[in-house]
């Protein structure tokens, strides 16, 4: 449809204006005749085999930035954020949203799209979470993103789903863990009816002040959001209390996001093993394969009575199947080669998102995308917090954590161990190759021990309990006679596990300290050069450290208990 038939130029769908010129092989901006006389065609930049082309210059068919919006750290006028440019107008910054950005919005996936920086940046909603979480993901560390789907009934596109005045709950919550080496990811679903403890929660108020919402013990997990004025930072704090995993950032979407994103991708394929007619969600489908978008897609992820034993746990499985299918659809050739889909996806995705300040700009989302772009779908695993029916209830309505199954799973996530078979095989091969190195490591504990008074060590906290460096240094001085132990506070960077760094001529001191603290051979890291006289060793306490005098946490399991539910994102599974 041409520009004139659509009406005003600013109402034109930007994706519809870019067409492939068979003579040049480039996408070009296609306007109507009158507009073309005023503005020449603009060739899109060359595209690689994995990403489509997009405009670098402003056209009347592409929505401009919201009034008053500027990129963080940027400025108005004739120059771009990074300087340069100039001329009569502002140079627009083209943004590549790589496979990770849209992936994150839906707990993984792959897509890429070029759209204007200012416009997309203006689409985002940002929440100040008053210090919840780590302050933001880091490029050299594992990443934990909390993806929240709220059942809020207010706002455009969310009407007609029950209580129109509901402020919403944490209806669907997924902790998305990205491995430190970026080779794999785990998506942990947390049931909304899980009994949990909600900590006291500082929340930012509209007037800029901070109000602490009182916590609650033994309540449904989904009340960590919305209720009593709680924001997503409260849900982040609740997840840390529940799992022992501190969240870096959050992303939140509502009902409308499912409708717009499923439509933008051109529909999400699903498979049913039986006919479905659910009056509550209004899902009515025949057995077999379907491609769902809009209201149908939302009904599919909302239904609680169509599949399994009609519980929230089975609804979680259905949602995981849908998300896995959407990831595959985003990564498909049909999506990767369609400029229209890219424009639509980027627009729908950014309009759907509420994020914390650590992800509050397109630049920051793009940085995150760069960390995710190379993860293969076969190495993304969906799983669910293992639970049991609440034994305190006669009529079963809530669930409690199944500690026997949950703790190994949480240890693997905290220990950055992949749940995928591919990664397990690679890990097994690595362990076999390290057998000789392990034998040499064990030999470090064989030999003389220095007297306690001769042991010099600086103690750092690299991920242990708060104040661990101070209490450990004092314990070594007062309980073990290691008077030259010094507290150095927080380490420059966190470590994956407790480690003791020492020089070859300090080996006898290292053995004595290992005996005092119960350190295993794997914690000893010997350098190659001798240290100067009176130079202290460096002890960095990691997340496996509990308290001085207690053994380190047991080794992280490498295999999940067989009863823990899991599914890989690359596999299509029929709902039943």
């Amino acid at each position: 449809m041409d520009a004139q038939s659509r009406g005003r130029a600013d109402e034109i769908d930007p994706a519809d204006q870019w067409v492939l010129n068979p003579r040049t092989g480039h996408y070009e901006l296609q306007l109507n005749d009158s507009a073309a006389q005023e503005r020449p065609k603009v060739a899109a930049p060359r595209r690689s085999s994995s990403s489509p082309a997009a405009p670098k210059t402003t056209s009347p068919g592409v929505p401009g930035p919201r009034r008053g919006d500027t990129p963080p750290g940027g400025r108005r006028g004739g120059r771009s954020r990074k300087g340069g440019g100039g001329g009569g107008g502002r140079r627009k910054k083209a943004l590549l949203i790589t496979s990770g950005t849209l992936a994150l919005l839906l707990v993984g996936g792959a897509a890429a799209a070029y759209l204007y920086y200012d416009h997309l940046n203006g689409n985002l909603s940002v929440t100040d979470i008053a210090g919840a979480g780590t302050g933001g993901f880091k490029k050299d560390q594992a990443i934990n993103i909390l993806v929240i789907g709220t059942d809020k009934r207010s706002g455009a596109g969310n009407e007609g789903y029950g209580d129109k005045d509901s402020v919403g709950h944490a209806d669907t919550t997924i902790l998305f863990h990205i491995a430190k080496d970026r080779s794999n990811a785990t998506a942990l679903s947390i049931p909304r009816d899980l009994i949990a403890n909600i900590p006291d929660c500082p929340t930012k108020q509209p007037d800029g002040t901070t109000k602490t919402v009182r916590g609650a013990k033994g309540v449904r997990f989904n009340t960590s959001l919305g209720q009593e004025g709680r924001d997503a930072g409260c849900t982040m704090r609740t997840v840390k209390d529940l799992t022992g995993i501190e969240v870096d950032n959050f992303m939140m979407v509502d009902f409308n996001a499912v409708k717009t994103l499923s439509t933008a991708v051109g529909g999400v394929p699903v498979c049913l093993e039986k006919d479905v007619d659910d009056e509550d969600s209004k899902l009515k489908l025949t057995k077999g394969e379907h491609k769902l978008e809009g209201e149908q897609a939302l009904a599919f992820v909302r239904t609680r009575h169509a599949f399994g034993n009609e519980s929230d746990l089975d609804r979680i499985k259905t949602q995981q199947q849908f998300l896995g299918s959407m990831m595959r659809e985003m990564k498909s050739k049909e999506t990767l080669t369609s400029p229209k889909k890219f424009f639509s996806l980027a627009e729908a995705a950014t309009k759907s998102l509420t994020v914390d300040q650590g992800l509050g700009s397109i630049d920051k989302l793009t940085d995150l995308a760069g960390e995710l772009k190379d993860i293969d779908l076969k190495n993304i695993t969906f799983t669910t917090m293992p639970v049991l029916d609440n034994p305190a209830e006669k009529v079963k309505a809530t669930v409690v954590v199944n500690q026997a199954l949950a703790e190994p799973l949480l240890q693997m996530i905290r220990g950055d161990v992949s749940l995928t078979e591919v990664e397990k095989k690679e890990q097994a091969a690595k362990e076999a190759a390290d057998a000789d190195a392990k034998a040499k490591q064990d030999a470090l504990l064989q030999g003389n021990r220095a007297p306690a008074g001769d042991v010099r060590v600086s103690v750092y906290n690299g991920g242990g309990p708060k104040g661990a460096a101070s209490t450990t240094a004092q314990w070594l001085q007062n309980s073990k006679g290691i008077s030259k132990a010094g507290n150095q506070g927080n380490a420059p960077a966190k470590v994956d596990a407790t480690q003791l760094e020492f020089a070859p001529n300090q080996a006898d001191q290292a053995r004595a300290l290992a005996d005092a603290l119960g350190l295993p051979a794997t914690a000893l890291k010997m350098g190659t050069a001798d240290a100067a006289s009176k130079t202290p060793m460096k002890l960095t306490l990691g997340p496996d450290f509990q308290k001085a005098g207690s053994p380190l946490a047991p080794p992280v399991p490498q295999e999940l208990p067989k009863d823990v539910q899991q599914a890989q994102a690359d596999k299509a599974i029929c709902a039943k």
Side-chain angles (χ1 to χ4, degrees), residues 260-542:
T260 57
L261 287 169
S262 61
T263 300
V265 81
V268 177
V270 300
C271 172
L272 281 67
E273 290 193 0
K274 63 180 182 180
D275 294 344
V276 170
D277 188 358
D278 179 11
E279 293 184 1
D280 288 344
S281 68
K282 298 182 173 52
L283 180 67
K284 187 173 183 178
L285 295 171
T286 58
K287 176 183 177 180
E289 296 182 356
H290 300 268
K291 206 164 190 180
L292 306 183
E293 60 182 78
E295 292 288 351
Q296 268 198 324
L298 179 58
F300 185 82
V301 299
R302 289 188 68 219
T303 182
R304 291 188 64 173
H305 306 296
F307 307 113
N309 62 6
E310 302 186 11
S311 70
D312 185 52
L313 297 179
D314 282 291
R315 187 182 73 134
I316 287 173
K317 292 179 183 178
T318 302
Q319 291 171 346
Q320 291 175 351
Q321 292 161 12
F322 181 87
L323 292 173
S325 181
M326 181 172 276
M327 294 178 201
R328 296 191 296 274
E329 195 66 15
M330 286 181 173
K331 200 176 180 68
S332 69
K333 182 179 179 181
E334 289 74 14
T335 300
L336 291 173
T337 56
S338 170
K340 179 176 176 61
K341 285 187 178 180
F342 278 116
F343 275 99
S344 298
L345 276 168
E347 187 75 9
T350 51
K351 281 185 175 179
S352 299
L353 268 183
T354 298
V355 297
D356 61 273
Q357 291 176 309
L359 290 178
S361 72
I362 299 300
D363 272 350
K364 293 175 181 178
L365 286 172
T366 305
D367 287 343
L368 180 58
E371 301 299 305
L372 304 174
K373 62 185 175 62
D374 294 327
I375 301 179
D376 196 300
L377 291 183
K378 68 183 179 182
N379 290 332
I380 298 177
T381 303
F382 287 106
T383 187
T384 304
M385 176 75 80
V387 295
L388 299 167
D389 287 336
N390 189 346
E393 296 175 336
K394 292 183 179 179
V395 178
K396 303 305 180 184
T398 61
V399 293
V400 296
V401 173
N402 182 341
Q403 293 292 349
L405 297 181
E407 189 52 32
L409 169 60
L410 294 175
Q411 283 181 3
M412 291 181 74
I413 297 174
R414 290 192 294 259
D416 202 27
V417 177
S418 173
L419 305 188
T420 65
E421 291 295 334
V422 173
E423 293 298 319
K424 287 176 187 173
K425 291 175 182 177
E426 292 178 359
Q427 181 67 22
K430 182 178 183 299
E431 289 176 357
D434 289 346
D436 289 342
K438 184 178 184 302
K440 292 178 181 178
Q441 191 74 20
D442 290 341
L444 290 176
L445 289 177
Q446 306 302 316
N448 297 328
R449 269 70 173 162
D454 293 342
V455 175
R456 298 175 182 271
V457 61
S458 294
V459 185
Y460 296 82
N461 190 349
K466 185 176 181 179
S470 174
T471 57
T472 299
Q474 292 176 15
W475 182 83
L476 288 171
Q477 295 167 6
N478 299 329
S479 299
K480 295 297 179 178
I482 301 178
S483 58
K484 298 182 178 67
N487 167 33
Q488 299 299 319
N490 291 332
K494 290 186 177 181
V495 293
D496 295 329
T498 297
Q499 61 183 33
L500 174 62
E501 300 171 80
F502 60 97
N505 62 337
Q506 296 173 321
D508 57 344
Q509 295 183 51
R511 296 184 194 107
L513 187 64
D515 290 347
L517 287 170
L519 299 179
T522 52
L524 274 57
K525 312 293 180 185
M526 186 169 71
T528 56
D530 285 347
S533 175
K534 298 185 179 181
T535 299
M537 301 180 293
K538 181 179 178 181
L539 173 66
T540 307
L541 307 175

